Amino acid sequence: MTPSICCRCNEQIRHRAVCSLGKAYHPHHFTCTECGLVVDPRLFFAVNDDVVCGECYLGHHAARCSACRTPILERCISAVGRKWHERCFRCVSCSKPLISSSFFDINGYLFCKEHFREQFSPRCAACAEPIEDRAVVALATKWHVECFRCFICRQRITTGGFRIHNGQPICLACCQPTTIVLSPQNLCAL
């Protein structure tokens, strides 16, 4: 068997060799390439094919969690160009785990579908609840289809137009002269 040559000092290794990353080292030459300290061959990290001690790895190379900013040493979640500990991949509003569920990223914060809807969906001008599906856009606001009603008779306004009185929608039936008198400047058909 041919003797090993230390990759650091290029001298023959006579007694005990540390073999790692396809290289042989004298035990006292198995050192961290960043801080120069001797590294336990059982407790090191390989970075760009070099030996790095645990402390230097954690301080300079380990991926950091986008939520808690601590190093990720176990399984991680990668999404929207960032990484998280599994335990940190949660909705910022309710702390519900987001693994295998829909989520939304708003300015770096993760939201479950329910809290995204609650906090960021447009609101109905009548009931103030979030609008998820179709909406009526009228009077510079949005309304649930079922909430867009005549201010006087409370009937849904579906087709045929409407008028505006004091900023409120009025169906055409309630606009008859015997029901309500509107001045020309208050009327606007959409």
Side-chain angles (χ1 to χ4, degrees):
M1 182 166 114
T2 59
S4 298
I5 302 296
C6 177
C7 68
R8 292 277 165 92
C9 69
N10 291 321
E11 292 185 15
Q12 185 177 355
I13 302 171
R14 298 202 185 276
H15 301 291
R16 194 169 61 111
V18 175
C19 296
S20 182
L21 304 171
K23 302 172 189 172
Y25 302 82
H26 286 108
H28 60 279
H29 286 151
F30 193 69
T31 57
C32 175
T33 56
E34 295 189 12
C35 69
L37 295 176
V38 174
V39 178
D40 182 337
R42 296 166 295 176
L43 302 171
F44 77 96
F45 294 86
V47 176
N48 298 327
D49 226 18
D50 282 324
V51 175
V52 176
C53 70
E55 191 171 325
C56 288
Y57 181 79
L58 292 177
H60 306 292
H61 302 286
R64 298 217 171 247
C65 176
S66 289
C68 71
R69 305 302 306 149
T70 61
I72 300 172
L73 300 176
E74 66 275 356
R75 188 173 146 184
C76 76
I77 305 296
S78 292
V80 294
R82 298 190 319 273
K83 295 182 180 186
W84 288 267
H85 294 107
E86 277 189 50
R87 68 182 178 275
C88 295
F89 193 65
R90 298 176 171 274
C91 173
V92 296
S93 291
C94 67
S95 295
K96 172 186 169 187
L98 297 174
I99 296 172
S100 54
S101 57
S102 296
F103 68 91
F104 298 85
D105 176 27
I106 303 295
N107 297 326
Y109 296 99
L110 302 179
F111 293 88
C112 65
K113 184 177 181 180
E114 178 182 332
H115 284 102
F116 172 81
R117 181 182 148 267
E118 183 66 33
Q119 294 182 33
F120 298 102
S121 293
R123 301 280 174 168
C124 176
C127 70
E129 290 296 315
I131 298 174
E132 290 184 46
D133 299 320
R134 296 180 330 151
V136 174
V137 178
L139 306 173
T141 58
K142 293 183 179 181
W143 311 66
H144 289 111
V145 173
E146 59 276 6
C147 291
F148 190 62
R149 297 177 177 273
C150 174
F151 186 68
I152 295 172
C153 70
R154 306 304 305 151
Q155 293 295 314
R156 279 184 56 204
I157 300 172
T158 55
T159 58
F162 64 95
R163 302 270 190 241
I164 301 169
H165 179 68
N166 292 331
Q168 297 294 328
I170 307 294
C171 69
L172 296 178
C174 289
C175 286
Q176 300 303 316
T178 57
T179 308
I180 188 169
V181 177
L182 299 174
S183 63
Q185 62 266 25
N186 287 339
L187 294 176
C188 178
L190 294 182

